[in-house]
Amino acid sequence: MPNLTGKSVLITGAGGSIGLAIVDKLASEGADFVINDMSQESAAIAANIACEHGVRAVTNNGNVTVENDVEGMVDLAVNEYEKLDIVIANAGLHITTELVNTSRAQFQRIQDVNVWGVYLTNREAAKQMIKQGFGKIINAASLSGHRATELQSVYNASKYAVVGITHAVATELAPHGITCNAYCPGMVDSAMWDGIDAERARILGVPEGQPREQALKKIPLGRMAKTDDVAGLVKYLASSDSDYITGQAIQVCGGAFMQ
Ligand SMILES: NC(=O)c1ccc[n+]([C@@H]2O[C@H](COP(=O)([O-])OP(=O)(O)OC[C@H]3O[C@@H](n4cnc5c(N)ncnc54)[C@H](O)[C@@H]3O)[C@@H](O)[C@H]2O)c1
């Protein structure tokens, strides 16, 4: 029997590259979904992927930075499935900027989605999970939450914060039977990395593709992650196999960084 049958999952930003892979993987294990993405079209694509596995999926187009919207996502899960077993705070934005050219607006936009959006999703899920006495919170951090890279100070700040939130939430919610962990992808073959390559090439004045080649050289396993590599870790964190694991921010980076 698939090991997530009967589990309800709320995932934010589900219509992006990594979100779609997570939905596919967890739906193949029998999970039912509340699928959030600000883009209605992307949310519908994710829901179709889930439904192809014969599970239930409802969509939500809320913004993870808006309190009423996130409350609504948790309410939707409870109304549909009577509980919320797993929340995946996956929505996030990237920006490539030079420190000296970064504006307050750019900084705040990224922190709002990547930090406040994750914190708010954790907070609202926690209210329900504390009532239930169980739950798994899974946050999208990044290799950039463990290691800094040039032209990424704003993104690094946000992902280090997600790791901090994950530690704090894990500590505070452990007495309630709730775990909190983070997945930390390195370089993923995704739309986000296509954008990073283009922006880095523009700022550094090098041909497109060169930033990607340089970054690839630092990966011992010699390739970018597939979105499915990330989804595999999330499946593990969502399953009972990880019940004794909390407060961890686990890297999926092909060995690019080792601790
Ligand atoms: N792609 C990578 O190489 C990589 C590496 C490390 C970490 N990550 C992290 O993994 C997560 C997913 O990344 P991805 O590559 O799938 O990104 P993506 O850009 O493909 O998808 C992000 C999705 O989030 C949605 N979204 C954005 N802002 C939102 C908001 N305020 N409310 C609701 N939805 C919103 C977008 O519509 C989009 O569908 C992000 O947190 C990202 O920072 C990605």
Side-chain angles (χ1 to χ4, degrees):
M1 187 200 277
N3 72 14
L4 295 175
T5 299
K7 302 291 184 190
S8 63
V9 179
L10 163 60
I11 175 168
T12 66
S17 304
I18 292 174
L20 291 176
I22 293 172
V23 168
D24 191 34
K25 182 76 87 185
L26 272 57
S28 75
E29 295 287 328
D32 296 316
F33 282 94
V34 171
I35 292 194
N36 159 265
D37 201 290
M38 257 172 68
S39 154
Q40 194 159 359
E41 197 187 340
S42 301
I45 291 169
N48 283 339
I49 288 174
C51 292
E52 280 169 14
H53 292 282
V55 301
R56 293 167 63 192
V58 291
T59 58
N60 168 288
N61 307 124
N63 180 335
V64 296
T65 69
V66 176
E67 297 189 76
N68 280 343
D69 286 8
V70 181
E71 282 172 31
M73 295 172 207
V74 175
D75 286 349
L76 184 56
V78 176
N79 289 339
E80 288 289 323
Y81 307 118
E82 295 171 1
K83 62 191 166 75
L84 176 60
D85 293 288
I86 297 152
V87 67
I88 305 171
N90 173 70
L93 302 176
H94 188 274
I95 188 170
T96 303
T97 52
E98 286 172 290
L99 172 66
V100 293
N101 289 326
T102 301
S103 69
R104 181 181 172 91
Q106 286 173 315
F107 187 87
Q108 287 190 325
R109 177 170 165 265
I110 299 299
Q111 309 314 317
D112 202 26
V113 176
N114 293 9
V115 183
W116 169 240
V118 167
Y119 189 87
L120 180 57
T121 305
N122 283 213
R123 188 188 82 183
E124 292 308 312
K127 289 178 186 170
Q128 173 60 27
M129 289 174 173
I130 288 169
K131 276 192 241 162
Q132 302 168 172
F134 60 83
K136 286 176 177 278
I137 298 175
I138 304 172
N139 294 327
S142 172
L143 176 57
S144 300
H146 290 279
R147 185 190 72 178
T149 316
E150 73 286 359
L151 306 179
Q152 288 214 123
S153 54
V154 177
Y155 189 69
N156 280 133
S158 74
K159 293 301 186 179
Y160 274 73
V162 173
V163 173
I165 289 168
T166 301
H167 292 167
V169 169
T171 305
E172 190 165 326
L173 298 187
H176 299 281
I178 300 163
T179 61
C180 180
N181 293 290
Y183 51 101
C184 301
M187 197 182 172
V188 182
D189 193 2
S190 61
M192 185 176 279
W193 237 96
D194 292 343
I196 294 170
D197 181 69
E199 272 300 288
R200 289 180 73 84
R202 186 185 61 77
I203 293 170
L204 297 169
V206 299
E208 283 194 22
Q210 197 180 97
R212 187 189 307 261
E213 288 308 313
Q214 293 298 329
L216 266 172
K217 285 181 189 158
K218 297 177 186 158
I219 301 178
L221 287 180
R223 65 168 175 88
M224 298 178 91
K226 294 173 279 179
T227 54
D228 195 55
D229 292 320
V230 181
L233 172 61
V234 175
K235 179 181 95 173
Y236 171 68
L237 293 174
S239 78
S240 59
D241 287 348
S242 64
D243 280 354
Y244 193 62
I245 294 175
T246 197
Q248 305 305 310
I250 302 172
Q251 292 154 57
V252 192
C253 65
F257 182 66
M258 300 185 193
Q259 282 177 309

